[in-house]
Amino acid sequence: MSAEKEHTTPKKDEHRHVSPNFITEIIDEDLRQGRYKKIVTRFPPEPNGYLHIGHAKSICLNFGIALDYGGECNLRFDDTNPETENEEYVEAIKRDVEWLGFKWAKECYASDYFEKLYECAVELIKAGKAYVDSLSEEEMRAYRGTVDTPGRPSPYRDRSVEENLELFERMRRGEFPNGAHVLRAKIDLASPNMKLRDPVLYRIVHAPHYRTGDRWCIYPMYDFAHPLSDFIEGVTHSLCTLEFENNRAIYDWLVENLKGKCGLPQSPRPHQYEFARLNMDYTVLSKRKLIRLVEGGYVQGWDDPRMPTISGLRRRGVTPEAIRDFANRIGVAKANSRVDIRIFEAAIRDDLNHRAPRVLAVLRPLKVVITNYPEDQEEWLEAPYWPHDVPKEGTRKLPFSRELFIERDDFMEDPPKGFRRLTPGGRVRLRHAYVIRCDEVVKNARGEVVELRCTYDPDTLGKNPADGPVKGTIHWVSARHAIRAEMRLYDRLFTVPNPEEGGEDFTRHINPDSLVVVEGYVEPSVRHDPPDTRYQFERLGYFWQDPADSSPERLVFNRIVTLRDARTKPTPRPAKPQPKPAPAPPKEQPALTPEQQAALERFKRQGIGKAEALVLAREPKLAAYLEAAGRHASPAALASWVVHELGPAIRADAVRVTPEQLAELVRLLEEGTIHTRIAKSVLAEAQASGEAPAAIVEKKGLRQLADEAALEPVVDRVLAAYPDKVEAFRKGKTGLMGFFVGQVMRATEGRANPRVVQALVARKLGG
């Protein structure tokens, strides 16, 4: 976006990124009155965590308004707390914003302004409007008063300007410990707005900053850095959520007292406006609660597809277009309220309906034998990818053979009234194929249905039987041709709309069926599709391959969203296999016993992360397995594999991989012989087959390619195949690095070392 471009009228409503609202009305009036020549907004995250769907609403608002008014939006990292921030979060935030489809005008950091902010603080001291206070935090709280009583002045409030300047300079030089002094604004101790009762502007923090190192040991508070960073960058409209409404008074006080000073302009000045934050049913968006979900083992990391984080939604398969559409649907309001999650799910479905080709898959297979179909015969039927209401064309070949799999729920021996699927003696249409009739039901010794013997009508391909149409159509796959796949059926993370209601522990409401894992089959046409293809598995939902765990050798599909919300019309729930347990029971966790606490500390001393250490401390079976494996490899390297990959099998006494074999696999990983994706695939196969993981690696030739000379020709071919993306990368679209690495990984069937590939691509493209 050009810095010289000026725009004084918004786009027409049908082309706007942000629907008209009270903020756009303010902007329209500001432009009519000539208060600003150009609209400048900013998105100011703290780099101390991962963004979630609530941040996405703010991103869409700030960047969307800039686009609608021909202005600019800066990405500014509010990095004023060195103890919680790091470069990892910076890169994750940038990746999320770019993935959502936005490009910032400037990449800014509050830490870039530390010298200017210090200068502003000195100016306030010289004007008698700020002072160094030496009260403790508890004393300061007591002196501040209550909503009913005014505050009392600190005994240090009337220090001289000279003494304050000297103390503040000594604070900067690092002469005092943490908590010894703070710098406070001198505003109004009797103000009904508690925020104005001499707020803290600076505190002492002896900790290295990820960008400035040890250069500073005093850091500005958010309320000080935020308005002045806006002023420095020329922000016109500073958009915050409603919890910062009372902070606006500090914002205005600082801007008014410093405009025209310290190199800041006299006008125009920035203004803060507040809008309602996103509160959505069946989820939590508090950073503290999200951390608890991760560290408590209730989910498997920040990118768990059940999490409301952008990385979790991206891994689940939700598209940036769906998130932007959702933000537009819910609009911008002044009052807080809760958003029905069905609005979000509807936006996802509407987006996927026109992008997801239809294919056939079976989640819980039941074998069907077509007894009058020749054993050695097969035919390939023409099947469309798209329904009639989607204006797209395309077909694929669908194999049909004597043995099929259908969905177990599509057969009932004693069906209720209105059941239109397969029954003994009944007929159904196989989607895109023939009409079949169930002639015989085969059961095992426990009386469970294991096979159906059916006959087909060869004269019903593309037409009805001679005696008229059948009422039901079901999906199926050819047993001989179908690809086995792990299907991860994700659902809402909580069982109640507002898990925080009533003040009780929100984890009591975690949905035990938020993840159900089944082994199913999918038609073979998906084998050669790009891994990021989204599908509608007909009659089942929208799916895509898990970008972390799926591989050509073992497909893993995530359910993005169901075809419709089954909760709107309750129906009897069919029996289903036992769901795969989560790494820790999704129930309220009791306090650790002294023995468990001691175990937790021991695990942490071994370098094991807190989330895994908590699970191990509570579960003796997992701890014993880790101890046995730890005799052969590092416990810190083994812990995640024991908890997250083998945990369910260990709990069920069904683990087939010995501790020694897991240790050997992890050593191969640490040596660089294989990488994580291959290790996960090998471990899953070993658990299913009982074969040693290392033997599988050797048998299948899975040792990763880390030799630059061997990988360079592959990288060259990939770059030559995508000249447009190469050009875009060289023009600054560095997010395409992941695309290039992914193409090389696919070309080498997942064996290439991603870090080596990334270094090669960067060197060749000058990145």
Side-chain angles (χ1 to χ4, degrees):
M1 286 175 280
S2 170
E4 289 77 27
K5 183 176 180 181
E6 296 180 6
H7 202 88
T8 55
T9 56
K11 296 180 179 180
K12 294 182 179 180
D13 287 356
E14 63 268 24
H15 300 302
R16 293 179 72 138
H17 294 80
V18 178
S19 299
N21 58 75
F22 75 97
I23 291 175
T24 61
E25 291 175 0
I26 291 170
I27 294 174
D28 292 342
E29 180 62 22
D30 285 343
L31 291 173
R32 277 194 295 270
Q33 297 298 328
R35 296 187 182 106
Y36 304 106
K37 293 183 177 180
K38 178 173 62 178
I39 301 303
V40 180
T41 59
R42 85 288 172 270
F43 174 61
E46 297 178 66
N48 63 356
Y50 296 92
L51 301 184
H52 55 61
I53 186 69
H55 294 112
K57 174 184 176 180
S58 179
I59 291 169
C60 292
L61 175 61
N62 279 284
F63 282 91
I65 281 179
L67 289 168
D68 287 345
Y69 289 89
E72 295 180 352
C73 182
N74 296 337
L75 176 61
R76 179 174 72 241
F77 293 96
D78 177 35
D79 54 348
T80 57
N81 187 349
E83 296 179 304
T84 62
E85 299 158 353
N86 62 53
E87 188 69 33
E88 174 191 347
Y89 293 128
V90 170
E91 293 304 316
I93 289 168
K94 288 162 61 176
R95 183 165 60 248
D96 286 347
V97 173
E98 283 192 316
W99 178 78
L100 281 171
F102 298 107
K103 183 62 181 174
W104 46 92
K106 299 173 186 173
E107 183 177 318
C108 306
Y109 296 82
S111 55
D112 287 339
Y113 312 137
F114 279 173
E115 194 65 52
K116 174 66 70 175
L117 296 176
Y118 180 83
E119 182 185 345
C120 290
V122 169
E123 178 64 32
L124 291 175
I125 294 172
K126 290 178 177 178
K129 296 177 180 178
Y131 63 98
V132 174
D133 195 359
S134 305
L135 291 176
S136 69
E137 188 174 349
E138 293 75 15
E139 291 170 329
M140 203 180 307
R141 188 179 300 114
Y143 271 77
R144 191 172 282 123
T146 68
V147 291
D148 300 316
T149 59
R152 292 177 292 147
S154 163
Y156 306 103
R157 196 173 194 260
D158 293 326
R159 277 173 165 156
S160 67
V161 169
E162 292 74 19
E163 185 180 4
N164 283 318
L165 287 172
E166 180 191 1
L167 283 170
F168 193 48
E169 174 61 29
R170 292 175 64 193
M171 286 169 61
R172 176 176 181 169
R173 291 201 301 263
E175 296 183 18
F176 304 111
N178 292 352
H181 306 289
V182 295
L183 182 71
R184 297 177 69 180
K186 188 183 290 187
I187 305 181
D188 183 1
L189 290 170
S191 173
N193 183 349
M194 299 288 288
K195 298 287 186 181
L196 289 180
R197 295 186 183 182
D198 289 11
V200 174
L201 304 181
Y202 266 88
R203 79 282 196 200
I204 301 171
V205 183
H206 287 280
H209 190 279
Y210 75 101
R211 294 186 79 237
T212 61
D214 295 319
R215 200 178 317 154
W216 293 88
C217 60
I218 58 171
Y219 291 91
M221 302 296 289
Y222 170 84
D223 280 335
F224 186 70
H226 169 222
L228 298 182
S229 297
D230 284 348
F231 213 168
I232 292 167
E233 293 171 16
V235 169
T236 58
H237 298 78
S238 185
L239 310 180
C240 303
T241 46
L242 273 174
E243 62 263 37
F244 295 101
E245 184 175 18
N246 289 335
N247 302 63
R248 183 180 355 119
I250 306 174
Y251 188 106
D252 290 338
W253 185 88
L254 286 166
V255 169
E256 287 299 320
N257 279 281
L258 287 167
K259 65 183 183 182
K261 302 170 184 175
C262 303
L264 298 173
Q266 183 70 32
S267 68
R269 54 150 289 188
H271 287 270
Q272 175 179 305
Y273 302 96
E274 304 83 28
F275 63 93
R277 64 176 295 170
L278 176 62
N279 297 297
M280 190 162 66
D281 287 347
Y282 296 97
T283 191
V284 293
L285 296 178
S286 156
K287 185 178 295 184
R288 177 175 56 85
K289 290 182 171 66
L290 293 177
I291 289 172
R292 185 174 171 196
L293 289 174
V294 174
E295 294 188 347
Y298 298 101
V299 296
Q300 297 180 16
W302 288 96
D303 68 342
D304 187 304
R306 293 167 291 180
M307 288 282 277
T309 54
I310 294 179
S311 57
L313 294 170
R314 179 168 58 235
R315 182 173 176 183
R316 184 159 177 163
V318 177
T319 68
E321 292 83 358
I323 294 176
R324 295 200 303 266
D325 180 38
F326 168 65
N328 197 46
R329 292 187 188 200
I330 60 177
V332 181
K334 291 183 179 181
N336 282 325
S337 62
R338 295 194 67 82
V339 173
D340 191 330
I341 196 172
R342 288 176 296 185
I343 299 174
F344 185 38
E345 292 169 343
I348 297 171
R349 291 189 190 100
D350 288 349
D351 171 73
L352 294 174
N353 181 47
H354 291 273
R355 82 166 65 237
R358 277 55 168 173
V359 299
L360 300 183
V362 172
L363 302 183
R364 299 178 177 92
L366 175 60
K367 186 177 180 181
V368 170
V369 178
I370 309 297
T371 57
N372 63 333
Y373 196 89
E375 289 190 23
D376 58 350
Q377 183 174 318
E378 65 180 44
E379 55 187 303
W380 292 77
L381 310 175
E382 193 86 8
Y385 275 124
W386 307 99
H388 297 301
D389 61 344
V390 176
K392 289 186 175 182
E393 297 181 354
T395 61
R396 81 279 191 191
K397 293 292 185 179
L398 194 61
F400 186 86
S401 61
R402 177 183 172 87
E403 294 186 357
L404 313 172
F405 290 127
I406 67 168
E407 202 70 54
R408 186 167 292 274
D409 293 344
D410 282 341
F411 172 78
M412 291 189 75
E413 282 190 281
D414 185 20
K417 185 178 180 180
F419 187 79
R420 294 190 173 188
R421 287 162 278 169
L422 197 57
T423 60
R427 297 186 301 172
V428 293
R429 163 82 64 183
L430 297 177
R431 179 73 166 150
H432 305 306
Y434 301 96
V435 171
I436 63 170
R437 183 186 67 234
C438 179
D439 302 317
E440 182 183 353
V441 179
V442 180
K443 299 183 180 180
N444 62 17
R446 295 187 298 274
E448 300 166 334
V449 177
V450 295
E451 184 178 303
L452 304 178
R453 302 285 175 82
C454 301
T455 52
Y456 87 115
D457 184 343
D459 197 35
T460 55
L461 184 62
K463 56 184 178 179
N464 291 323
D467 57 350
V470 295
K471 292 183 178 180
T473 300
I474 63 174
H475 57 276
W476 57 279
V477 292
S478 167
R480 186 191 307 170
H481 304 88
I483 305 172
R484 191 173 182 85
E486 178 179 307
M487 308 290 189
R488 298 176 179 175
L489 309 181
Y490 290 104
D491 202 350
R492 296 169 183 173
L493 187 54
F494 295 94
T495 57
V496 297
N498 187 359
E500 301 167 283
E501 191 173 28
E504 62 179 326
D505 185 356
F506 73 103
T507 63
R508 293 171 60 90
H509 302 295
I510 287 180
N511 178 8
D513 289 337
S514 62
L515 170 59
V516 174
V517 181
V518 297
E519 289 289 328
Y521 293 90
V522 62
E523 67 172 72
S525 69
V526 306
R527 188 185 302 276
H528 303 295
D529 290 339
D532 59 353
T533 303
R534 276 96 171 159
Y535 301 98
Q536 185 191 108
F537 289 175
E538 293 202 50
R539 302 178 64 233
L540 297 174
Y542 291 99
F543 290 75
W544 87 323
Q545 289 188 47
D546 184 279
D549 294 341
S550 188
S551 68
E553 298 80 24
R554 179 171 173 78
L555 297 182
V556 178
F557 284 96
N558 296 339
R559 183 171 68 189
I560 306 169
V561 69
T562 57
L563 290 180
R564 61 184 180 277
D565 183 7
R567 300 165 186 79
T568 58
K569 185 178 180 181
T571 55
R573 190 170 187 170
K576 60 183 178 182
Q578 185 69 21
K580 180 179 177 181
K587 306 292 183 186
E588 182 179 18
Q589 297 288 354
L592 295 177
T593 66
E595 294 79 9
Q596 290 173 333
Q597 186 64 44
L600 173 65
E601 297 305 321
R602 184 176 74 254
F603 289 133
K604 288 166 66 176
R605 286 195 299 273
Q606 292 175 338
I608 296 172
K610 184 179 178 182
E612 289 79 14
L614 278 167
V615 176
L616 291 162
R618 286 192 169 105
E619 301 197 39
K621 283 185 179 180
L622 272 63
Y625 188 100
L626 176 68
E627 183 179 356
R631 300 188 187 106
H632 309 280
S634 162
L638 289 162
S640 179
W641 295 88
V642 172
V643 172
H644 299 302
E645 304 300 327
L646 292 180
I650 296 171
R651 293 187 187 98
D653 295 321
V655 64
R656 303 179 71 182
V657 179
T658 68
E660 295 79 10
Q661 289 172 342
L662 177 64
E664 187 175 7
L665 181 69
V666 169
R667 287 201 306 272
L668 291 175
L669 182 65
E670 290 186 312
E671 293 165 0
T673 304
I674 58 176
H675 55 69
T676 303
R677 184 171 174 177
I678 286 178
K680 286 188 175 184
S681 176
V682 167
L683 187 62
E685 183 174 340
Q687 175 60 19
S689 67
E691 190 174 359
I696 295 172
V697 170
E698 297 303 327
K699 182 177 71 175
K700 294 193 169 184
L702 297 178
R703 289 177 176 268
Q704 73 172 347
L705 299 174
D707 179 27
E708 285 196 2
L711 286 172
E712 190 167 12
V714 184
V715 172
D716 288 339
R717 287 197 296 273
V718 167
L719 298 181
Y722 299 98
D724 54 334
K725 288 183 168 56
V726 168
E727 182 180 1
F729 182 93
R730 284 176 167 150
K731 288 182 177 178
K733 196 171 182 181
T734 55
L736 285 168
M737 175 63 77
F739 169 82
F740 292 127
V741 174
Q743 294 299 316
V744 174
M745 295 299 291
R746 279 191 281 276
T748 58
E749 297 183 336
R751 294 174 57 213
N753 183 309
R755 287 188 291 273
V756 175
V757 173
Q758 184 167 343
L760 269 172
V761 173
R763 191 161 68 240
K764 289 179 175 291
L765 298 185

